[in-house]
Amino acid sequence: MEDSGEFILGNIIKLTRSSEKKFKLGNFKGALEDKMKANAILKSKSCDEKIMEKYKEELSSLYSSKFDLIFDHKLKIDAKKINEIVKLLENKSEQKLKNLDYRGAIKALRRAEKYISN
């Protein structure tokens, strides 16, 4: 069971890094597809708390920045508000995707992940 958890985590991290690389190269549609695959795995029943914690650590290292306004904002709000913001950003991403605005959709998902990270 432990090996399957590490395999799942490895796939999620690969997809997240691939999405980030594609985003930086301007391939917004590809970045969005990878991010959506990673999110689908995260929301599946095979993903437990241990995997989520390790994923949050990966996000923290991926999105670390000297000037991070989202990190500063997270310090001032509670977990309930963070969850509301994440849901709002995920809905915004879905709306952008319906309008075929891949860049806007992936930016909203990336911003939501920054609220999730440690």
Side-chain angles (χ1 to χ4, degrees):
M1 191 70 170
E2 187 69 29
D3 290 337
S4 67
E6 288 184 23
F7 178 73
I8 292 169
L9 179 63
N11 283 339
I12 294 169
I13 290 172
K14 273 191 236 174
L15 286 168
T16 303
R17 288 181 180 168
S18 172
S19 174
E20 199 58 26
K21 189 178 291 184
K22 289 177 182 178
F23 179 82
K24 289 179 180 177
L25 293 173
N27 181 1
F28 302 119
K29 185 176 181 180
L32 182 63
E33 289 169 354
D34 287 350
K35 188 74 69 185
M36 290 173 69
K37 287 177 191 174
N39 285 344
I41 295 170
L42 284 169
K43 292 180 181 179
S44 71
K45 293 178 182 176
S46 60
C47 205
D48 60 2
E49 276 299 312
K50 191 174 181 181
I51 292 173
M52 280 300 294
E53 284 304 312
K54 289 183 179 181
Y55 177 65
K56 287 178 183 181
E57 290 173 14
E58 176 67 23
L59 288 178
S60 295
S61 67
L62 190 65
Y63 293 130
S64 66
S65 173
K66 186 175 181 180
F67 305 104
D68 190 357
L69 295 176
I70 291 176
F71 178 77
D72 294 342
H73 187 236
K74 284 189 329 186
L75 296 176
K76 297 179 187 209
I77 58 177
D78 61 354
K80 182 180 174 186
K81 184 65 176 175
I82 289 173
N83 288 333
E84 289 175 10
I85 292 170
V86 168
K87 292 285 185 201
L88 176 80
L89 289 168
E90 288 174 346
N91 290 337
K92 185 176 183 178
S93 175
E94 290 175 17
Q95 291 300 319
K96 298 277 186 179
L97 182 58
K98 287 179 184 176
N99 294 329
L100 301 178
D101 179 10
Y102 300 114
R103 183 174 187 230
I106 189 65
K107 286 177 87 173
L109 280 180
R110 290 175 81 235
R111 196 170 293 127
E113 281 186 341
K114 288 181 181 182
Y115 276 99
I116 294 172
S117 68
N118 291 339

